[in-house]
Structure formats: structure tokens, C-alpha cells
Amino acid sequence: MSATAAVRSGAVAVPEEAHCHYVLRLADTSLVLGQRLSEWIGHAPELEEDLGLANLSLDLIGQARLLLTYAGELEGGGRDEDALAFLRDAPEFMNLTLAEQPNGDFAHTLVRQWLIDAWQLEVYTALEHSRDTRLAAIAAKALRETRYHHRFSSGWLARLGDGTAESRERTQRALDELWRFTPELFAPDEVDERMSRAGIAPALTELAPRWSARIDADLHAATLKRPATQPYPWHGKRGVHTEHLGHLLAEMQHLQRTYPGARW
Amino acid sequence: MYTQALDTHQEPAATAAEAADAHAARFQSRIDDEEKIEPKDWMPEAYRQTLIRQISQHAHSEIVGMLPEGNWITRAPSLKRKAVLIAKVQDEGGHGMYLYSAAETLGISRAQMLEQLLSGAAKYSSIFNYPTLTWADIGAIGWLVDGAAIMNQIPICRCSYGPYARAMVRICKEESFHQRQGFEIMLTLTQGTQAQRTMAQDALNRWWWPSLMMFGPSDADSKHSAQSMRWKIKRFSNDELRQKFVDITVPQAHFLGLTIPDDELHWDEAAQHYRIGPIDWSEFQAVLKGNGPCNRERLEARRRAHEAGRWVREAAAAHAARQQARAAAATSTGEIT
Amino acid sequence: MSETDWPLFEVFVRSRAGLEHKHVGSVHAADARMAIEHARDVYTRRQEGVSLWVVRSADIVASDPEEADALFEPARDKVYRHPTFYAIPEEVKNL
């Protein structure tokens, strides 16, 4: 099935570029977040958590592979999952700015994870009904994983928020620091709007209140305070990142860049 | 997964006295009949201690073994290789946990075993004190180190102690993909560019001898073997296993077009075995004593993770205690929870 | 509990094709919800559609092997509990 045929007939015609960018945003968010989690392996607070975080990382990289492959087909330029992952530079990456933030301590990692898990829950649930049947299938698989991820991260949020004085302080601090990246999660731009009109993607503004309600419920269970929203317009989705992404990519892409054209 | 005959202390004393004891005689006859010994069964104290030591060393090896390979996860050269490597390292962590779990049935706690590892008191397989310097090292580890480990492990599936045997059966089932992925990496490299072929040969040069040392010294030099054999904890000698490994692996290296770094390696037609040159056991001893290239770094990494994670573990425990107290209070006041 | 004292839970897994839960090992966890997650991550990486039980090890009551004779030996010579003890003529069906 060709990439265009995957969009059921009757849909509004979508410029391939917007379609490709939309899929890349999902792909890159999963890839960058998966890469960040993989940094923890062997260094987690307990052996069982080494396995838990590795599990999350594997799921996210799996999502990234499916989405990148699809994006490459939509692009039509012959780039496969590895060409996209290892040979693009930072301005071509379309992940949410939140995903590239450094791991910090366990609280930082958990809060970042939980915020994105709640976002993916809304987005993948909506995408199951996408006119793009390929995307819907990927979303259905990813949703099962994301439900487990959210169980994991919200469970830990509660343990850390409502644990010891130290854990609450660290977790509240992580929340206060990462909250500023959340407006980007549901701020639609032309790509989002085009995809939404085409029946391929959900309207982000409709998902926002559901995400917000879930966040509030989880924060309440964790006895944490929701920070005030700071409206700085982060643009990771459009390829304008923080300094962190460059270092992450330098590490990740090193071998392919050093040995151009080699097969691994 | 990474067993090695690390126990070079004396044979347990008082075997003569125990043999006279009825319990001990019945115990030995159960072993001779290939019955499994289970956690609550009577066992000689020396059997218990030998197992605790061997199982916990094996577990420590798995856990420390996550580090040299974990070193290349973020730099894996393709998404598929990254995913496979994460899965492999995850398996190793899991194997460590099966083994800690088996050891705990003998009366030692995970906390105690962890303390022994982090303090430097416990031993683990010396192979993990070597650095992973290139991506080819990941291939070499899968091919050689996992290969050697599999050879060590399969006999232990028939070990006399039930929980250890069952853990090993589980581990061996999961192990098969580990060696294959390592060999496949080497194959891809040797079929690749000149730089990749050089990388593969360099990795083999550095990992060959340490892999042979994984089987432990010759049994003539290992004082613990006899009793372990009698108790069916150990089922083949170190030399037997090492020879088997060499006979299987040398043809694989030839297939890859790589050269084994041993000038004295030759085929013994009469015996139908490959014969290797002398192993430098002084290097093995040095690494065991803590003076290998990465001993310090490996333990430091685990200590740091353990220390950094303290507040997390405390928080989880505090939260659980609070939840339990709330549940108890609710039941006592007749609330529906 | 102290920070090193995440209690031990025994893990039982029933695979999709299985009929009963089998004991597979143990995990440490601070609470039951975490124990399920740990058991899933450690013991079911290669299985689909399983059922998991976790039980605090301290809550398990086991028979004493030293008493095995008293507990289990008497049943051995009571052959009348076994269906093969009864000789039923071949012509009688459904027994």
C-alpha cells in the first residue's frame, strides 16, 4: 500500500510535506525520549528500575522505528529509519522540546516521562481513529505501551511526591523546571491544523482539557502543586531546539558520521 | 550468564565428620539419585555456603556485565542494533535477578549480597573488568564471552539445587539470541569496509584470551572442584569446558576470516582437538585482585548508582508505609476502602 | 521498613496457554502495585497474555520437608483414592 493510499479516500488532500512533518514529530519525540531513557541503563536506583526504564526505552525506540520508516516513505526521498535517525542535524529534528531535556535526577526523568506519557495517551487514542490507516495501526500498538508507561510514571510520581520530604522537594522542583515546556504540547500550528482538517490528526485544543484533567488527578494523588503556566513559545516541533539536542545527536550519530556509507 | 570458577579457597573442613552423620549420608544419596535439593531441605552448611557464594558471584557478574555493553547503547550505529543491545542488557539484568532470587532461598538477602559486591568483598567474573573500546567489542562480547558463558551454564541446568537449576534453565533459554547477535555483528563487520574489518580483528585480539580465562584455572590448580563435583554443583572440569569452547570457536573465527591471536594454535590430528598456547594466568590473578583496566570504574559506577538512588528507594518505602497505615486506619474505622 | 528493605514478593505466572500459575522466582518491591510491574518486567518479557500473581514471601506458609512423611506418606498406600483401583467391566461406558 502506497503512503498516499493509506489516507482513506474522501479526505482533504494533504501536502506530503505536512504529512511527513507530522509523522516526524511523533517519531522524533519517541526517538529522543527513548535515547534519553537508555542513558539510565545500569545506573538506576534499583535493579528492577534498570529493567523498567529499559523497557520504556525499547518501546519508544520501537515506536520511533515504525514512524520514521513511514515518514521516509511519505517523504519519498529514499531515506530509511537509520538515514533519518543518524544523518539529520538538529534543525531537521521535530521532537517536542520537552523530550530532549537532560535526565537530571530520577525525579526529573520521571516528571518528564509522566508529562509526555499523558500527552501520548491523548494523541495515540485520538490517532486510532485517523483517516491515515497506517498511522492508526501504529497508534493502536503504541497506545497499549503508553498505558503501561503512564501506569509506571504516575505510580512513581505518587511515590516520589508523597514519599519523603526530600523526594517531594526534588519532584516539585523538577515539575517547576519542566512545566515551561508543556504549552508546546497542545499549541497547534499550520501543520497540526492541516492534518486535523484532513481527518488525519486530532485537534490539539480538544485534547488539552483531557490532558489537563489527568495531570491534575495525578498531581493530587502525588500531593504536588501544579505550577503556573509560563507562555514561552518553544519550537522543537519546528526544528528550533535547546542546546541539549546537539549533544544528544553528536553521541547518537557518532559512528555513522565517522564511517560514512558503512553497513552495520 | 557469566560464570567462572572463582572459588580458589580451601575445601570445606570436617567432611569426614559429616559423612558419619545420618543426615549427611541421606543427603548425599539424594544427590547421587539425581534428586533436587529444595530450599527448606536439610543440607550441609558447607553446601549452603558454597552455593550462596557461587550463585551470588554469578548474579554479580550479570549485573556488572551490563556496564561494558551498556557503554555502547547510546552510540549503537543503527536503531535495530540499539534495540537489540538494550534488550540484551535488559536480559542480563533479569538474569542477575533470577540468580539473586535463587540465592535468597538459601538465607542471604539481596541487600547483603549487594553490600558484598559494592564493598569489593565479593568476586564477579573478571571478563567485565575489560573496557569496550569500539563497536566491534560488542560483537566480540556476544560471540566469545556469551559463547563461553553458555558453555559454563548448560551443565548447571542439571545442578543439584532446585532453584539454581531452574534459574539456569530460564537463563539458557534466553541466552541463544545473545550469542547469535554478537556473531552477526562480527559477520557484518568482516563483510564491510576495511576499517570495519580492522575493527573486528582488533576486538578479537583483545577479547580472545580473557574469554579463555573465563573458564578458570586448570582443575589441578583449583582446590574446590572435587567437592563441588560430588555435590553436583559443578558437572564438568574447567579444562573440559575450555577445550570444547576452543574447538567450537576456532572454525567460527576462520569463517569470519579473522586470525586468532595465538601463534601456537594448531590442530592436533591424533586427539581431534585444537591446541592453544599458554594462558597468562598472572594477568587473570591481577584482574581478580582488582588491578584490571576497569575494576575500579565498574564498582564505582554501581556504587554511585546505589548512592544516588538512596532517596528514591527511601521515598518508595515511606510511601508504601503510609498507604498501609491509611488502609489499616480505614478498615479499623469501618470505612470502605 | 528501612530503605534497603523493599520486601520480597514471590512471583507466579500463568502463560496464555497454561492452566495454572507456576512459581518462577521473586522480586523486591516497595508495594504490591510495584511488585506487579517488576514481576512483569523481569519474568514476562517473552510472553504474551499472561496472568501474574505476586505474594509477599512472608505470607507464604510452606509444609515442612521434615514432616513430609507424616503429611504425605499415609496417602501413598490408600490406593482406593485412585480411579485405577476399581475394576470396571469394559462394557460399562462413561465411568
Side-chain angles (χ1 to χ4, degrees), chain A residues 31 34-35 38-39 41-48 50-52 54-58 61 64-65 68 81-82 85-86 105-107 155-156 158-160 162-164 166-168 170-171 221 223 251-256 259-264, chain B residues 63 66-67 70 72-84 86-87 89-94 96-97 100 110 114 135 185 188-189 191-193 195-196 199 301-302 304-306 308-316 318-319 322-323 326:
Chain A
L31 176 61
Q35 174 80 355
S38 76
E39 294 168 18
I41 299 171
H43 309 285
E46 188 57 85
L47 293 173
E48 282 85 352
D50 265 324
L51 258 65
N55 171 254
L56 260 62
S57 175
L58 266 178
I61 289 170
R65 294 183 65 194
L68 284 174
E81 66 186 30
D82 287 332
F86 293 94
D105 65 3
F106 192 71
W156 270 106
R159 286 181 203 109
L160 299 182
D162 189 21
T164 59
E166 177 177 7
S167 69
R168 172 178 286 135
R170 284 178 182 257
T171 313
T223 68
E251 188 178 5
M252 188 174 85
Q253 300 180 339
H254 165 80
L255 276 178
Q256 286 233 9
Y259 300 94
R263 264 186 64 249
W264 298 96
Chain B
I63 300 309
M66 294 168 73
L67 294 172
W72 279 90
I73 287 176
T74 54
R75 291 175 294 167
S78 76
L79 293 183
K80 177 174 165 211
R81 295 289 184 210
K82 191 194 290 287
V84 169
I86 293 175
V89 172
Q90 204 186 22
D91 273 356
E92 276 148 34
M97 272 188 269
Y100 281 133
R110 165 96 73 91
L114 215 47
W135 173 250
I185 289 175
T188 306
L189 292 173
Q191 292 176 342
T193 66
Q196 287 175 304
M199 201 192 278
R302 299 296 333 177
R304 245 181 290 125
H306 193 74
R310 185 179 303 279
W311 68 268
V312 177
R313 295 189 299 273
E314 281 174 349
H319 179 80
R322 199 170 299 131
Q323 296 289 74
R326 279 188 200 128

Side-chain angles (χ1 to χ4, degrees), chain C residues 13-62:
Chain C
V13 176
R14 176 167 55 75
S15 64
R16 191 204 289 259
L19 293 172
E20 73 276 320
H21 288 75
K22 291 215 299 239
H23 180 243
V24 291
S26 60
V27 290
H28 284 272
D31 56 60
R33 173 180 163 137
M34 194 197 282
I36 288 278
E37 285 160 20
H38 288 173
R40 176 222 190 244
D41 288 338
V42 179
Y43 290 103
T44 71
R45 278 196 310 285
R46 285 168 167 76
Q47 295 170 290
E48 301 267 6
V50 300
S51 170
L52 271 175
W53 288 351
V54 293
V55 184
R56 281 171 200 267
S57 311
D59 287 341
I60 294 190
V61 182

Side-chain angles (χ1 to χ4, degrees), chain A residues 176-256:
Chain A
D176 293 338
E177 282 174 11
L178 293 171
W179 191 253
R180 61 202 168 113
F181 297 108
T182 56
E184 189 186 15
L185 269 51
F186 295 100
D189 64 3
E190 322 89 71
V191 169
D192 294 310
E193 270 151 15
R194 270 209 177 114
M195 301 301 292
S196 173
R197 280 197 302 276
I200 291 174
L204 287 177
T205 44
E206 280 170 28
L207 299 186
R210 278 204 288 277
W211 176 87
S212 189
R214 190 190 304 274
I215 294 297
D216 281 335
D218 290 346
L219 284 175
H220 179 74
T223 68
L224 293 166
K225 282 196 287 289
R226 178 172 176 146
T229 300
Q230 309 129 63
Y232 186 83
W234 296 102
H235 290 309
K237 291 201 309 195
R238 310 179 68 78
V240 180
H241 294 276
T242 59
E243 290 180 353
H244 302 296
L245 186 63
H247 294 283
L248 181 150
L249 293 179
E251 188 178 5
M252 188 174 85
Q253 300 180 339
H254 165 80
L255 276 178
Q256 286 233 9

